[in-house]
Amino acid sequence: MAAAALINVLLCAGGLFTILSTIGLVLYLVKFKHMIDITNNLPSPPYLPIVGHGHHFAGKPPHENMYTIYEFASKYGPTFKVWLGTELNIWTSDLKDVEVILGTTRFNDKAHEYDMLEPWLKEGLLTSRGRKWNSRRKVLTPAFHFKILESFIDVFEKESRTLVANLDKEYRMQTDKGFDLNDWVNLCTLDTICETAMGVSVNAQTNADSEYVRAVKTIAMVLHKRMFDILCRFELTYRFTRLAREEKKALAVLHGFTEKVIVQRREELLKVQEAGKLDAADKDTGSKRKMAFLDILLQSQVDGKPLTNMDIREEVDTFMFEGHDTTSSAVTFCFYNLANYPECQQKCFEEIVQVLGKDKSKPVTFEDLNNLHYLDLCIKETLRMFPSVPLLGRKVTEECEINGKIIPAGTNIGISPLQLGRLEELFPDPDTFKPERFEAGYSTEHLNPYAYIPFSAGPRNCIGQKFAVLEIKTILSNVLRHYSVEYVGPGEEEIHLIAELILRTKDPLMFKIKPRVYY
């Protein structure tokens, strides 16, 4: 009797499994058959049931994933599809498609990868969508008025001077192997963004082991691993990992710090307003007093209502993320190019001396930075070759047509500024550093505006790009007027780029420095 009962139970369980499997298969076909059918005309590599193209990436180190995509592009054309499990991705380097995707508000929603930023940034400008994104963009645009940017130069100057002091210590200890310059640059940009965003300094350059700095490094590590670890890409499995626990602890530090500063600044502002010391002109532009990004948000309104502390934290944290690693990546790759092209580095130095003079203690000014034209060309050329944000992702929310191609709802669209910047047909001799290609009247004058997009393009372009360029110029000019920079390694063939949210190298770029001699 017991055996018969067990058999019945097993048969029932088997029948239930069969029913559930059948239901699952039907749902799969209903949901994905349409997507498969309408994208049949899009080229793609061979794929397998369920896993899609996942086997093309399985087992490969992170730095090879990008090259796999580029191999697909060379074989299957500028626009092709990639299935990762049940997730449909379309990659394009067709400028007509890029213009449609980035140039309108139809594709304003960010791709799945940006969901990994949600625990930290919530619904800040980078990740928000629809009406919220539109209203926030309008509120934040005045924060990057040139008068406010000009007031930030003092912070750029101060923190870059601290960087120079640290490099002086590094010079005295350096060996033939060189040192990782990005470590110091990264701390400099962290100090800079904290002070300009919140009006407080975390002193990262003098206390790199502080709780806040460790938390920032932890979040950077988490984002890196979540991009490539299959268990960490999906929230269902990620939440049970050690990495998720580390992220939770780091976020408690980051959010707690930001919230504390917001509360303090709000109380200070109320006291000033009550004392009648803040006039209308200050409220409108912030031009009469130095204001951090936070101060501007505290005085902003959406639909006639002030921003809540959570609203402000979202935008301050977003500013922190977008203005930290992105800038340090750009600065480090600038030094890499200038070190490998010493004639370009010499031209930068001569221009710096011409604009700033031989007195190395003279602080840079807003006007000085705007007069460093050749340095500006070097930055543009570096961002062509090594854009800080190598991949842009959009999510298709409704089935649509793009230049004759039907794109189903739920599709991720990938665009690579890194790939576009290395296309021979757009930039002849693309792997060679040629700052002159960005001179007025040169070949890029007639270039499609969507070919060079290190700061994205269209409605969702980078709101802080002028801020970033001014900071990069300040760091480069202050370091180059004190030191010549020499690249040590790894060799060009050994450099492996990792295209995640921020462009990185698999191994650190190593440099040596030598004090400048003025004659």
Side-chain angles (χ1 to χ4, degrees), residues 143-185:
F144 296 93
H145 187 277
F146 77 91
K147 288 185 178 180
I148 293 174
L149 291 179
E150 186 174 3
S151 73
F152 289 152
I153 302 301
D154 288 346
V155 178
F156 299 164
E157 166 72 12
K158 182 183 73 172
E159 299 303 344
S160 64
R161 291 284 179 171
T162 304
L163 170 62
V164 169
N166 282 328
L167 292 182
D168 184 54
K169 298 173 186 176
E170 190 71 57
Y171 166 70
R172 296 170 191 170
M173 299 184 295
Q174 71 181 354
T175 65
D176 289 340
K177 294 181 180 180
F179 63 96
D180 184 356
L181 181 57
N182 185 64
D183 281 348
W184 291 112
V185 171

Side-chain angles (χ1 to χ4, degrees), residues 230-338:
I230 191 66
L231 290 177
C232 294
R233 277 185 68 86
F234 301 101
E235 190 62 35
L236 183 63
T237 50
Y238 171 67
R239 67 180 65 177
F240 299 107
T241 64
R242 177 185 59 81
L243 202 65
R245 293 190 293 273
E246 291 184 17
E247 180 190 40
K248 186 177 180 180
K249 292 179 182 177
L251 287 176
V253 174
L254 296 176
H255 287 161
F257 184 86
T258 306
E259 288 166 2
K260 181 180 178 181
V261 174
I262 291 171
V263 170
Q264 289 176 343
R265 294 296 290 165
R266 192 184 287 280
E267 290 175 352
E268 291 170 6
L269 185 61
L270 286 174
K271 289 178 181 178
V272 170
Q273 289 174 331
E274 289 171 1
K277 296 179 181 178
L278 189 63
D279 61 30
D282 286 335
K283 291 181 181 179
D284 292 339
T285 67
S287 60
K288 292 188 178 182
R289 60 190 291 268
K290 289 184 180 180
M291 301 179 74
F293 184 62
L294 169 59
D295 295 317
I296 297 166
L297 292 173
L298 285 166
Q299 298 176 41
S300 299
Q301 294 184 342
V302 173
D303 298 330
K305 297 179 181 179
L307 298 176
T308 66
N309 284 3
M310 175 57 79
D311 294 333
I312 294 172
R313 195 190 82 186
E314 289 175 344
E315 300 307 340
V316 169
D317 286 345
T318 295
F319 192 41
M320 289 290 301
F321 167 74
E322 292 198 273
H324 174 215
D325 282 343
T326 51
T327 308
S328 65
S329 172
V331 170
T332 301
F333 281 116
C334 275
F335 280 127
Y336 169 77
N337 277 332
L338 293 175

